[in-house]
Amino acid sequence: MLCYCTVAAIAILYVLFDVNYFIRIILTIAWGRVFQNRKKILEQTTIYGVCFTQDIDLVFKHMNNARYLRELDFARFHYYDRTGLFSAISAKGGGMVQGACTSRYRRPLPIFTPYKITTQLVYWDDKNFYLEHELISLSDNFIRAVILSKQSVTNLKVPVSEIVAKVDPTAQKPELSKELQLWLDSMTESSEKLKKKK
């Protein structure tokens, strides 16, 4: 009887929640804490994965576009934990949400292909961190996708620069790249367009 109840409970959890997502986050953070050293905030972090059957698109050949963005969640959680940024923000009562992202898919990632995702902080302002992710196939070291991610800090009473100084006093803000500036400009244009519709 206990066995049936356990199976039923697991089945219900899988129906109601994306259980694999939560398990993967826990394992990613645990792996980093056990096997990887802490990183400075401007250092690159890396996680690994394999394009599996749950990741593929309708033609059963390569990773679907939605899965790229899902994989970035694990890369971000790993980055925040390894650098100590998340705990510093949480200690001040703040949180973080994905504010925006832009993806460039350069070549499909075939099924059963192992890959890595690198994450690097490329800029910050008073309320946001900007990360660059690269999804790279291990077989040929080809950058399959490049994603810029805007991470907005919520409920924080101090500027982001104060958090940065606390976590890594030696960190110098990187120069704003042309690519990032153009993306920021496009978001400003989008905001203005939406304001005019009100």
Side-chain angles (χ1 to χ4, degrees), residues 43-160:
E43 289 184 301
Q44 194 177 77
T45 59
T46 304
I47 66 166
Y48 295 87
V50 175
C51 179
F52 201 58
T53 52
Q54 294 180 333
D55 302 319
I56 57 175
D57 66 355
L58 286 173
V59 295
F60 295 93
K61 288 187 176 179
H62 50 75
M63 184 178 281
N64 74 57
N65 293 345
R67 283 290 179 167
Y68 284 88
L69 300 182
R70 186 178 189 269
E71 289 300 305
L72 296 189
D73 268 2
F74 309 126
R76 280 191 295 272
F77 277 109
H78 177 261
Y79 170 81
Y80 293 140
D81 187 67
R82 291 296 76 223
T83 59
L85 270 177
F86 186 76
S87 57
I89 291 168
S90 296
K92 293 284 187 182
M96 299 189 73
V97 295
Q98 172 91 307
C101 73
T102 182
S103 306
R104 180 172 172 238
Y105 304 105
R106 300 181 68 226
R107 191 181 293 172
L109 184 73
I111 188 171
F112 304 127
T113 301
Y115 61 86
K116 66 181 178 180
I117 299 175
T118 61
T119 301
Q120 185 145 27
L121 179 65
V122 292
Y123 193 69
W124 65 80
D125 57 30
D126 285 344
K127 296 181 180 178
N128 307 284
F129 290 99
Y130 298 91
L131 302 174
E132 182 179 72
H133 308 278
E134 293 180 346
L135 191 142
I136 304 165
S137 48
L138 296 181
S139 56
D140 54 8
N141 210 36
F142 188 83
I143 300 170
R144 303 280 171 160
V146 180
I147 299 101
L148 286 173
S149 172
K150 175 185 176 183
Q151 300 292 293
S152 300
V153 180
T154 59
N155 302 319
L156 194 64
K157 306 272 192 289
V158 298
V160 162

Side-chain angles (χ1 to χ4, degrees), residues 15-59:
V15 169
L16 297 177
F17 300 97
D18 187 353
V19 175
N20 290 342
Y21 174 84
F22 296 105
I23 291 172
R24 175 89 181 274
I25 285 174
I26 292 167
L27 291 177
T28 299
I29 291 173
W31 179 273
R33 289 184 179 182
V34 173
F35 296 107
Q36 296 176 333
N37 296 326
R38 288 295 291 263
K39 297 275 190 176
K40 296 195 171 192
I41 65 166
L42 291 174
E43 289 184 301
Q44 194 177 77
T45 59
T46 304
I47 66 166
Y48 295 87
V50 175
C51 179
F52 201 58
T53 52
Q54 294 180 333
D55 302 319
I56 57 175
D57 66 355
L58 286 173
V59 295

